[in-house]
Amino acid sequence: MVYTFGQLTIKEIRANEFLPSLLTIAFCGIIPILFTLHPTTIAQAALPGEMFMPLVAILCFGGIFLPEQVAGVADVLNSKRTQLLTIYLIRLGWYTLLLSLVNTLLILSYQLPTATAVLWFDFLTKALFIGSLTVFSYAAFGSLAAAYLIPTVYFTLCLGYPHLGPLNLMVLMRQQSWTDNWWQLGVAVIFLVVGFRLLRNAAAKS
Amino acid sequence: MRLFWLEFKRFTTSLAFILYTIVTAVFILLNVWPMIGRGLATPPTSPTAHYELITTTDFHPLKTNALDQLQEAHTDNAYVTYPFGFAKRVTLNAQVQAKVGKLLNQARRIDNRPTLAKTLGHVDQLLGGHSDYAPATLQRFAVRPMTLAEARQDHTLIMRKDRITGAYARLFADIAGIIAAILPTIVIIAYCYIDRRAQVMPTIQAKPMGTLKWLGTQYAASVAGLIIPVIIAALALFGRVTWLYPGVALDYLAFAKAACFWVLPTLMVSTAVGFLSDALFSNFTGFALQIGWWLIVMTIGARQVIGNYGWLLIPRHNTLHNVAYFYAHLSELAINRLGYTILAITLLILTMLLINLQREGKYRGLHIRPAHH
């Protein structure tokens, strides 16, 4: 039986991403407990998106490579009509959508109409940057540990290391210009393109 | 012992370990290396210089800082509390606002610390707890720049008690603790996942070997491996300090003591969490719990990085100074470290019980993602 792309997406999410997505939503449910939903400044409003959501993104995007970790399964899947790369893209898209939804709800609850667009762009960029770094790390090293280790270390560096310039994830929290996010978005796109090329090459070689 | 070396060799030759070693050593060196200079041996002389912050025991700055902050918050009716370490804004109704105002006026007339702590403790209760005015956290208001006399005293302690290396070793331990509290969990989960991926768990679990010996050896070999990049960074930093301070009487064991007594308990806990979460979930789900704990500890610690031990998994001392505070609170730090060592062993015992249940076929893990047995 041949599935359409839409059917495949729904089946994939239902089979592999449903429970982790529920866990993600539950994890994000602690945001109102940890952070204020009535911020008075943009720096305060940016805290959950820049401090908490990148860590949620590591958990989500790191997990997109988990289901096919059984030895040999990747090869079997790559011999099928729908390549594993497509499955990864579906998962990446799904988690970007899920995190954007959480970010949107969070920003709407702030009721800061003048900062909505800036916060939304900022939060989306964090998720994409971490997600792309996760994909790139996995593709470059072929290791799940790398997919979790490298983004975590990068996030930790952002907390205290002063020389990351516009690539420091804590943009609005540290009162840097929101336009730094364009740099991060650009790097995220490069990581994604290179990461998926590496994954495609690896699939072709196996 | 042979099993230990087999496990150690298997662990330290894994890709996860090699990556961990590189990123951990680089992280520590990136953050500590630029802080090492020649200036620590020079005694302070300028009465107008701006010296580093210290946590003082004086009553006056504590009272002034606390009441200034409370006055500002009261005027704006915008108080800040820190449930789980994260800042939350609290707005009070008119009745409670009036009560806080009354307590603020009372506090202005107080001239001793216990009474001030009691009065501000009532403010904390009215705010719902977790504020800076709680008696346990009131000390945070007592941070101010050193005077020249205090800077000289601080310098004397660095030269005589720390013997230079001690000051750098504290900074090293502060930074190494941050990374040692999170990365080992990932490495251990990834390491355990290899066995699951290869579907050898049933074979391993059926071996005629006690869980205590099996898990204990695996844990000891992992901890021995995971401390390696911390030691590598410590050696590099020690080398730099000895290079910059020739002819000065240094404490040659300072970095080793910091690695073993300060960083190791943190690393032992995050390693034990890795084994426990693998036994519980059979995949990376447990990493979410550790990352949550880590973030909370980091934000609590960040409120006073120049000397903050208490019950933090990552005790903070992100300064070369505030030495008197360190020695005055050394027993607190020692109890903290001992406590976390005991916690690591407790988590390991819990893991052992879970593995025993698995070996008896009574527990197969909470599967949030597909797991492989």
Side-chain angles (χ1 to χ4, degrees):
Chain A
M1 185 179 173
V2 178
Y3 291 120
T4 63
F5 184 75
Q7 285 172 322
L8 179 76
T9 304
I10 290 166
K11 281 206 172 288
E12 164 54 33
I13 291 166
R14 201 185 288 169
N16 285 317
E17 308 310 321
F18 183 67
L19 277 175
S21 299
L22 284 183
L23 182 76
T24 304
I25 292 166
F27 197 50
C28 291
I30 63 171
I31 291 177
I33 302 167
L34 297 180
F35 302 94
T36 184
L37 293 183
H38 308 287
T40 47
T41 60
I42 287 197
Q44 210 178 21
L47 262 167
E50 295 188 348
M51 279 279 283
F52 188 78
M53 293 309 284
L55 295 175
V56 179
I58 295 172
L59 295 170
C60 290
F61 293 111
I64 67 177
F65 306 105
L66 268 172
E68 291 78 25
Q69 290 300 310
V70 179
V73 161
D75 297 344
V76 175
L77 280 173
N78 276 323
S79 68
K80 303 288 179 197
R81 186 170 172 268
T82 306
Q83 297 277 293
L84 193 52
L85 211 64
T86 315
I87 304 286
Y88 288 157
L89 277 168
I90 289 171
R91 289 176 193 160
L92 185 90
W94 166 249
Y95 281 117
T96 308
L97 190 73
L98 185 72
L99 295 181
S100 300
L101 201 70
V102 172
N103 288 337
T104 307
L105 287 174
L106 182 67
I107 293 164
L108 286 177
S109 74
Y110 284 167
Q111 296 177 318
L112 288 173
T114 51
T116 302
V118 168
L119 285 170
W120 199 83
F121 179 53
D122 182 63
F123 290 8
L124 176 73
T125 309
K126 307 305 140 190
L128 278 176
F129 188 90
I130 288 292
S132 65
L133 186 57
T134 308
V135 170
F136 176 77
S137 305
Y138 180 80
F141 295 99
S143 153
L144 258 181
Y148 287 94
L149 269 176
I150 293 170
T152 306
V153 171
Y154 189 80
F155 175 80
T156 314
L157 268 179
C158 289
L159 292 175
Y161 186 64
H163 304 297
L164 293 173
L167 294 182
N168 192 317
L169 295 175
M170 280 79 188
V171 173
L172 301 180
M173 268 173 64
R174 304 230 165 112
Q175 280 145 21
Q176 286 171 225
S177 167
W178 68 271
T179 52
D180 283 357
N181 285 316
W182 287 113
W183 285 96
Q184 293 176 22
L185 198 63
V187 174
V189 170
I190 294 169
F191 276 151
L192 276 180
V193 171
V194 176
F196 275 103
R197 271 194 87 92
L198 288 171
L199 286 172
R200 199 178 62 182
N201 291 347
K205 275 180 199 165
S206 65
Chain B
M1 202 61 192
R2 189 171 166 269
L3 186 63
F4 173 87
W5 285 115
L6 282 173
E7 279 290 348
F8 183 77
K9 195 176 159 190
R10 195 167 80 99
F11 181 69
T12 51
T13 49
S14 66
L15 178 63
F17 174 79
I18 293 164
L19 278 171
Y20 161 81
T21 303
I22 295 167
V23 294
T24 302
V26 168
F27 179 87
I28 298 170
L29 293 174
L30 266 179
N31 283 285
V32 186
W33 192 274
M35 303 289 284
I36 301 178
R38 292 178 201 274
L40 217 51
T42 315
T45 51
S46 167
T48 54
H50 184 79
Y51 293 108
E52 296 280 333
L53 295 172
I54 54 161
T55 314
T56 173
T57 52
D58 303 347
F59 174 66
H60 185 67
L62 186 148
K63 183 183 168 184
T64 310
N65 293 342
L67 297 192
D68 282 356
Q69 185 177 305
L70 184 58
Q71 175 65 65
E72 202 182 320
H74 181 65
T75 308
D76 300 340
N77 193 6
Y79 303 86
V80 179
T81 60
Y82 299 90
F84 304 101
F86 296 91
K88 280 199 85 170
R89 186 169 170 247
V90 174
T91 308
L92 301 176
N93 62 37
Q95 201 185 351
V96 184
Q97 259 288 71
K99 280 184 187 171
V100 172
K102 208 171 156 187
L103 286 167
L104 179 61
N105 286 332
Q106 265 180 37
R108 285 205 182 95
R109 294 191 292 274
I110 292 167
D111 55 8
N112 72 71
R113 193 181 167 129
T115 320
L116 183 76
K118 200 177 165 189
T119 308
L120 292 180
H122 289 314
V123 174
D124 177 65
Q125 282 170 5
L126 291 172
L127 296 176
H130 308 289
S131 76
D132 281 338
Y133 310 107
T137 50
L138 204 57
Q139 184 64 29
R140 291 193 183 126
F141 286 109
V143 173
R144 60 161 172 79
M146 287 185 280
T147 61
L148 175 61
E150 285 163 347
R152 281 189 178 144
Q153 169 68 13
D154 188 73
H155 178 259
T156 308
L157 286 172
I158 289 172
M159 296 307 288
R160 292 193 186 154
K161 285 194 101 169
D162 284 345
R163 284 184 281 161
I164 304 278
T165 36
Y168 288 118
R170 269 196 300 276
L171 186 69
F172 150 78
D174 174 79
I175 299 293
I178 292 172
I179 209 77
I182 185 75
L183 295 195
T185 307
I186 304 174
V187 179
I188 293 302
I189 297 174
Y191 180 62
C192 293
Y193 205 78
I194 294 170
D195 288 339
R196 293 192 188 279
R197 203 168 73 162
Q199 298 183 336
V200 294
M201 288 310 286
T203 316
I204 293 174
Q205 287 182 347
K207 292 274 177 197
M209 183 192 289
T211 309
L212 175 67
K213 188 181 173 187
W214 171 36
L215 184 68
T217 310
Q218 213 175 19
Y219 180 75
S222 306
V223 169
L226 290 165
I227 198 77
I228 288 174
V230 177
I231 291 169
I232 291 171
L235 284 172
L237 295 167
F238 175 67
R240 179 154 167 82
V241 177
T242 49
W243 172 264
L244 289 174
Y245 293 91
V248 178
L250 302 173
D251 178 359
Y252 291 102
L253 291 176
F255 279 96
K257 282 187 275 187
C260 294
F261 299 114
W262 190 321
V263 185
L264 186 60
T266 306
L267 190 138
M268 283 174 69
V269 170
S270 56
T271 306
V273 169
F275 280 109
L276 179 62
S277 70
D278 178 72
L280 259 177
F281 302 106
S282 317
N283 56 39
F284 279 80
T285 307
F287 177 52
L289 302 176
Q290 182 63 10
I291 218 162
W293 184 11
W294 177 81
L295 190 63
I296 287 168
V297 171
M298 282 293 289
T299 48
I300 293 173
R303 286 167 66 196
Q304 192 184 334
V305 291
I306 65 161
N308 194 355
Y309 316 134
W311 280 110
L312 291 177
L313 172 64
I314 311 162
R316 301 307 309 269
H317 198 104
N318 195 270
T319 176
L320 295 170
H321 302 276
N322 210 11
V323 188
Y325 180 88
F326 171 74
Y327 285 109
H329 293 81
L330 197 54
S331 57
E332 183 185 316
L333 179 65
I335 291 167
N336 170 308
R337 299 292 75 193
L338 184 68
Y340 278 106
T341 307
I342 293 167
L343 178 68
I345 295 165
T346 310
L347 292 175
L348 204 66
I349 291 168
L350 209 59
T351 311
M352 210 165 65
L353 294 174
L354 277 174
I355 291 176
N356 270 336
L357 286 175
Q358 284 177 359
R359 295 180 85 175
E360 290 163 13
K362 291 176 184 166
Y363 178 76
R364 291 177 63 83
L366 302 167
H367 299 154
I368 293 171
R369 277 202 180 269
H372 312 295
H373 289 274

Coordinates of all heavy atoms in Angstrom, one line a residue, chain B residues 59 112 120 202 348 361:
Chain B
F59 N 26.4 44.3 59.5 CA 25.0 44.4 59.5 C 24.5 45.6 58.6 O 23.5 45.5 58.0 CB 24.5 44.7 61.0 CG 23.1 45.0 61.1 CD1 22.1 44.0 60.9 CD2 22.6 46.2 61.6 CE1 20.8 44.3 61.0 CE2 21.3 46.5 61.7 CZ 20.3 45.5 61.4
N112 N 19.5 45.4 65.0 CA 20.3 44.1 65.1 C 19.8 43.1 64.2 O 18.6 43.1 63.7 CB 20.2 43.6 66.6 CG 18.9 43.1 66.9 OD1 18.5 42.0 66.5 ND2 18.2 43.8 67.8
L120 N 11.8 40.7 58.3 CA 11.8 40.5 56.9 C 11.3 39.1 56.6 O 10.8 38.9 55.5 CB 13.2 40.7 56.3 CG 13.7 42.2 56.3 CD1 15.1 42.3 55.7 CD2 12.7 43.1 55.6
P202 N 19.3 -9.1 27.3 CA 18.9 -10.4 27.9 C 20.1 -11.3 28.2 O 20.1 -12.0 29.2 CB 17.9 -11.0 26.8 CG 17.5 -9.9 26.0 CD 18.6 -8.9 26.0
L348 N 22.4 4.8 43.2 CA 23.0 3.5 42.6 C 22.3 2.3 43.2 O 22.0 1.3 42.5 CB 24.5 3.5 42.9 CG 25.3 2.7 41.9 CD1 25.3 3.2 40.5 CD2 26.7 2.5 42.4
G361 N 12.5 -10.4 35.5 CA 11.4 -10.3 34.5 C 10.2 -9.6 35.1 O 9.1 -9.7 34.5

